[in-house]
Amino acid sequence: MTDPAADPGPIAFIGLGMMGLPMASRLVAAGFSVRGSDLSEQALAAFAAAGGIVCASARTAAQGTTIVITMLPNGSIVRDALLGSGGAALALAPGSLVIDMSSSAPMETRQLAEELSAREVFLVDAPVSGGVKRAVSGTLAIMAGGDPAQIERARPVLSAMGSTIIATGAPGSGHAVKALNNYVSAAGLVAACEAVLIAEKFGVDPNVLVDVLNVSTGKNNSTELKLKPFILSRTFASGFSMALMAKDLRTAADLSEQLGVDAEGARDAATLWAEASATLGKAADHTEIHRFVAGRSVKPEQGG
């Protein structure tokens, strides 16, 4: 069995996308030897330029490592990258650790933890919050679910990518908390957008409304960090896609149903964001929800 307190040696990082590339680069900058794998040649070239070691496949990246990090679009892709044909977990020795930093479905994560445990491989689910900007600066908020000893084992690695690491409980709990966090964030953003539209209709300067919100009880992440920079400016360039937000909201709504919790707000939010994503396209930034809400708010003039 691998000694958790020992030097982790080379780390495999699978998934060098918009978030994965800066996260893996932070590990390289912190002095870790990182072996990256991705389907995109462009991503691999960028990782090599950052000092990373490029590998042809997930399994090749994992060979000779005891820690594998995944940062992929969803839990199904994570499972395939680990346990599918040529999967990374197939190359791991007993006692190795997988850290899934993707936004995966909590119940699927529980099942994956059991499957990896049967191979004597540990799983910590450690999704992140903060977007590309905080991935680049290494100041992500990280939610970690799993055995406490394995979370501590992962902490030095996670600390190179995030400034806040919170243990959330058993395997899958990190992914549950991440989905619920994004539900609350998305609900606050929609409320803020609706408030802006109402203020404008009444003749109030939206910038004034935002200033009031941010010194009052209506203040939230969206009023502080999204309304003026991305929505009132019409740049819509926060770096987090609407499709990913819609996915996380569906995860939260599905979890409530799986647990027998009647969460109408979560269901409504998942439906709204799914409609917005379908209307505006997968490439739309999540702050473009304002455009969708504005379009829905236009009422035909009533005849006299």
Side-chain angles (χ1 to χ4, degrees), residues 3-75:
D3 179 4
D7 184 325
I11 297 170
F13 201 109
I14 303 169
L16 300 170
M18 186 176 293
M19 289 290 290
L21 178 59
M23 290 166 64
S25 298
R26 291 296 306 185
L27 290 173
V28 173
F32 293 99
S33 174
V34 187
R35 309 177 67 185
S37 171
D38 196 276
L39 297 179
S40 166
E41 292 296 330
Q42 183 177 0
L44 291 174
F47 184 55
I53 302 166
V54 170
C55 296
S57 68
R59 183 165 184 169
T60 301
Q63 288 174 346
T65 70
T66 58
I67 294 182
V68 172
I69 298 173
T70 53
M71 189 61 177
L72 296 164
N74 58 54

Side-chain angles (χ1 to χ4, degrees), residues 29-290:
F32 293 99
S33 174
V34 187
R35 309 177 67 185
S37 171
D38 196 276
L39 297 179
S40 166
E41 292 296 330
Q42 183 177 0
L44 291 174
F47 184 55
I53 302 166
V54 170
C55 296
S57 68
R59 183 165 184 169
T60 301
Q63 288 174 346
T65 70
T66 58
I67 294 182
V68 172
I69 298 173
T70 53
M71 189 61 177
L72 296 164
N74 58 54
S76 297
I77 296 174
V78 170
R79 189 185 183 284
D80 186 61
L82 293 171
L83 294 171
S85 177
L90 307 182
L92 294 176
S96 296
L97 171 64
V98 170
I99 306 173
D100 179 21
M101 305 191 77
S102 319
S103 293
S104 302
M107 293 300 191
E108 293 178 6
T109 300
R110 281 187 176 181
Q111 178 61 37
L112 178 61
E114 292 176 2
E115 293 182 61
L116 290 174
S117 179
R119 304 182 67 88
E120 299 185 68
V121 172
F122 298 101
L123 174 68
V124 166
D125 54 302
V128 304
S129 180
V132 174
K133 183 177 180 179
R134 288 174 64 182
V136 171
S137 65
T139 59
L140 292 166
I142 301 175
M143 298 137 270
D147 179 84
Q150 296 305 315
I151 292 175
E152 289 308 306
R153 175 184 179 183
R155 190 173 294 274
V157 175
L158 298 178
S159 295
M161 297 177 283
S163 56
T164 303
I165 302 165
I166 300 176
T168 54
S173 63
H175 286 143
V177 170
K178 167 64 185 293
L180 295 171
N181 171 77
N182 277 12
Y183 161 48
V184 174
S185 175
L189 178 55
V190 170
C193 290
E194 290 177 342
V196 164
L197 294 169
I198 296 167
E200 285 183 309
K201 189 71 172 179
F202 191 76
V204 175
D205 183 343
N207 289 281
V208 173
L209 171 67
V210 175
D211 290 340
V212 171
L213 290 173
N214 285 335
V215 295
S216 305
T217 56
K219 180 174 68 174
N220 61 37
N221 176 269
S222 295
T223 66
E224 288 189 293
L225 302 178
K226 298 176 185 177
L227 284 184
K228 285 189 177 183
F230 304 121
I231 292 175
L232 298 187
S233 70
R234 298 297 194 267
T235 58
F236 303 115
S238 74
F240 185 68
S241 76
M242 183 173 290
L244 287 177
M245 181 66 87
K247 177 181 76 70
D248 287 348
L249 294 180
R250 173 47 55 195
T251 297
D254 288 347
L255 182 62
S256 71
E257 294 176 6
Q258 291 162 349
L259 297 175
V261 177
D262 187 5
E264 184 177 0
R267 292 196 301 272
D268 289 347
T271 299
L272 174 69
W273 283 80
E275 291 176 358
S277 183
T279 300
L280 299 178
K282 292 183 178 181
D285 190 88
H286 84 286
T287 55
E288 292 185 68
I289 190 68
H290 183 77

